[in-house]
Every structure is written in C-alpha cells, then in structure tokens.
Amino acid sequence: LVLVLSNKPDVQGLERAHRAGVATQVISHKGFKDRAEYDEKLHEALVAANTEIVVLAGFMRILTEGFVTKWQGRMLNIHPSLLPSFRGHNAHEQVLAAGVRVSGCTVHFVEPEVDAGGIIVQEKMTRPSSPRLTLPVASRRRASG
C-alpha cells in the first residue's frame, strides 16, 4: 500500500492510513474545469507514488474513460452488491427497495461503463429480516459507519 488518495479531507480512510504510516493525499474535485482535468491530477499523483494497482474503496466519483484506460487491468472496485444486480452509487437503497434477502459485495475490474467490469470475487450475505431496517435507517447507518 503506497498511497491513500481521497477527494474529501475528512474521511475515515485517510485517518486509518495515517495511523498505519501510509502516505495520504487529498485532491479535491472542486476547482477543475472538467472531470478530465481532475482525473489527470489523480493520475499524476498515482504515478508519482509508483502505484501499481488502484483499488477504489469508497471513492464515489465516476472516472473518465481516459483515466480508466490508463489503468486498464490494474484498477479494481469494491461494490456493495452482487453485480450485475444493483449497479451504481445507491446499491444499498436499491437492495432494500427490491426486497431481496440475499445481497453481498463484489470486487471487480473497472471499465468505462460503471460497475460493468469482470468480476474477481463475490461474497454473499443474507439480509436480516428486521422491520426496523428501512431506507432512511440504512442511509443513516452507512453515513455514520
């Protein structure tokens, strides 16, 4: 692990990396003329850190095709559903709205199309049947956890 990079300064991943002695960097997505310019800045930071593999874990931004192409085959995403079901940023809400009992997590290669890359591994879990588990509660749990 050579670098934890975030577009937001106050995220738990940065604090964990700092405590573990891993380099951190924040590059805010604000102030760039477009996504391509921002993604180029990310690319430069990753190259400067001698990054070999990029793992998107909680990085909630859509990356440009140009950036994805530069890291093709070397960029993984951790997605909170059993792909190809429930693609996109609101997977938890989609799972609850669909009422499915089995969901899980997918690690997959990143492709220009969101959540469409080859699946590396999936782990399933059975959702508890709690009458208290609703969309607002699930959203609050995710936001605070």
Side-chain angles (χ1 to χ4, degrees), residues 1-128:
L1 194 58
V2 296
L3 176 66
V4 173
L5 183 59
S6 177
N7 64 313
K8 296 181 179 182
D10 298 321
V11 295
Q12 190 174 30
L14 292 171
E15 177 58 33
R16 286 182 176 172
H18 179 72
R19 285 194 313 261
V22 176
T24 62
Q25 187 173 352
V26 176
I27 302 175
S28 174
H29 58 280
K30 298 175 182 174
F32 290 91
K33 68 178 182 179
D34 56 25
R35 287 179 185 263
E37 185 179 71
Y38 175 72
D39 285 1
E40 183 58 30
K41 189 73 170 177
L42 292 178
H43 175 73
E44 290 169 3
L46 294 168
V47 169
N50 296 312
T51 303
E52 295 178 16
I53 296 173
V54 174
V55 179
L56 303 174
F59 191 76
M60 300 300 291
R61 296 197 46 83
I62 303 298
L63 298 163
T64 60
E65 184 173 351
F67 182 88
V68 172
T69 300
K70 289 176 185 176
W71 293 93
Q72 194 85 37
R74 299 182 297 144
M75 186 163 42
L76 313 176
N77 185 41
I78 302 170
H79 183 78
S81 79
L82 296 174
L83 293 173
S85 297
F86 310 114
R87 293 180 178 183
H89 75 282
N90 62 344
H92 297 297
E93 289 85 355
Q94 292 179 59
V95 165
L96 291 173
V100 298
R101 295 272 304 147
V102 176
S103 187
C105 182
T106 302
V107 178
H108 66 92
F109 286 104
V110 175
E111 296 290 336
E113 183 182 345
V114 174
D115 295 329
I119 293 171
I120 299 165
V121 65
Q122 292 183 308
E123 185 68 33
K124 69 178 183 173
M125 52 91 46
T126 302
R127 183 175 62 85

